[in-house]
Amino acid sequence: MPRSYLKEPHKRVAPKRERIRPIIDLLAAEHQDAAIALRFRTPLELLVSVMLSAQTTDVNVNRVTSKLFEKYRRPEDYLAVPQEELEREIFATGFYHQKARALQGTMRTLIEEFDGVVPRTLAELTRLPGVGRKTANVVAAELGNPQGIVVDTHVRRLSQRLALTRQDDPAKIERDLTRLVPRPDWGRFPHLLIWQGRRVCLARRPRCEDCVLASDLCPSSRV
Ligand code: SF4
C-alpha cells in the first residue's frame, strides 16, 4: 500500500459538499491546460498509450509511441508480428512482456468482438485482456464518455489532503468521489488534481503558500 495522507488534514473547513464546487472552479482557472499528457490521434492509439503507461511516465510512453504508431495503425497490425518483435518496440516502457501479451490479446478481442473498433463503455473496455478499471476509466473519459473517476497517485493524495475521502483503497476513493463530484465534471476532475499535484501539492512538501485552495478550502493547508 503506498503512503497514506489521511492523517494530514487538521484545520477546520466547511463540509466537502460545500467545498467541492469552489475547489473545481479554482483548479480549472489555475490549470486551463490540464489534459491528458499522452499523445494520440485515434481511439486505438489512445487505448494503446494508456495500456503502455502503467508503471512508467507519459513522456516515456510518448517517446515510444511516436515510432510505434507509424508501424501499427490497425488492430491487425499488432497481430501480424511475433510477440517478441512487439516486445522489442515497447521495451522502454517496462514490463514489456506482459504489455505485449496484453496488447495482442486486446487486439484479438477488438477484432473478434468489436469489429476492430474501441468500445466506449467501462463494461466493454474491461473485457479487453489487460485492461483494468483504471485504464478503462481513462479511455472512456477521453472518448467523451466518463463513467467513473480515474484515481491515480495524485488523485489519491489530493483527495486525502483535501479530505474528500477517508479511504486508502483506490476503488473506495473513486466511489466517494463519484458521490461528491458533479457528473459533468467527472472527466476533467482527475486532470485538475493531477496537474495541481504535479505543480503545487507535491508529495513530499506541498507548496501551500502558492496554492489557490490554501485559504479555507483545504484542511491540510500549512499556511
Ligand atoms: S498545496 Fe494546496 S491542496 Fe495541497 S496541502 Fe497545501 S493547501 Fe492543501
Side-chain angles (χ1 to χ4, degrees):
M1 179 73 78
R3 177 183 163 189
S4 174
Y5 299 85
L6 287 174
K7 291 204 166 56
E8 291 191 5
H10 59 278
K11 273 177 52 171
R12 267 188 176 282
V13 291
K16 59 187 176 185
R17 294 220 165 266
E18 291 174 25
R19 290 182 290 126
I20 191 66
R21 187 74 259 159
I23 286 174
I24 293 171
D25 291 344
L26 283 167
L27 291 181
E30 190 75 357
H31 305 290
Q32 294 179 17
D33 54 345
I36 192 165
L38 295 169
R39 284 204 289 271
F40 58 91
R41 293 164 298 190
T42 65
L44 186 67
E45 291 186 358
L46 166 66
L47 175 62
V48 172
S49 296
V50 180
M51 290 176 74
L52 291 178
S53 70
Q55 311 287 334
T56 188
T57 64
D58 293 346
V59 173
N60 209 12
V61 173
N62 288 338
R63 205 176 288 134
V64 167
T65 55
S66 64
K67 285 194 199 122
L68 193 75
F69 292 156
E70 292 309 312
K71 176 172 171 185
Y72 300 89
R73 294 170 183 262
R74 304 166 309 141
E76 290 81 356
D77 299 335
Y78 289 85
L79 297 173
V81 297
Q83 183 178 318
E84 296 70 34
E85 187 172 331
L86 187 54
E87 285 180 9
R88 277 196 298 279
E89 287 161 329
I90 63 169
F91 177 81
T93 68
F95 299 95
Y96 55 91
H97 184 65
Q98 294 98 311
K99 287 180 181 178
R101 199 172 51 201
L103 280 178
Q104 290 195 322
T106 279
M107 297 306 158
R108 204 166 289 118
T109 307
L110 274 183
I111 293 167
E112 289 171 2
E113 298 186 28
F114 299 100
D115 289 333
V117 177
V118 177
R120 288 170 187 249
T121 67
L122 277 196
E124 291 172 315
L125 283 162
T126 50
R127 268 168 48 202
L128 303 171
V131 174
R133 186 174 174 86
K134 186 173 159 207
T135 298
N137 253 335
V138 175
V139 172
E142 290 307 312
L143 293 178
N145 188 25
Q147 293 147 71
I149 292 180
V150 177
V151 177
D152 76 344
T153 180
H154 297 291
V155 175
R156 180 176 178 274
R157 181 174 76 254
L158 269 80
S159 298
Q160 292 181 337
R161 280 182 173 158
L162 288 164
L164 305 180
T165 183
R166 291 171 182 269
Q167 302 292 336
D168 269 322
D169 174 56
K172 292 180 180 163
I173 293 173
E174 181 182 353
R175 187 199 55 202
D176 286 349
L177 293 178
T178 51
R179 287 176 182 162
L180 180 68
V181 175
R183 183 143 194 166
D185 293 307
W186 283 9
R188 70 171 174 166
F189 185 72
H191 293 310
L192 296 176
L193 293 197
I194 289 167
W195 285 97
Q196 180 73 358
R198 284 182 181 154
R199 291 169 171 164
V200 183
C201 191
L202 311 178
R204 281 175 191 275
R205 195 194 173 287
R207 294 172 39 221
C208 302
E209 59 282 8
D210 298 321
C211 180
V212 288
L213 309 178
S215 57
D216 51 4
L217 291 171
C218 179
S220 303
S221 170
R222 299 173 187 196
V223 294

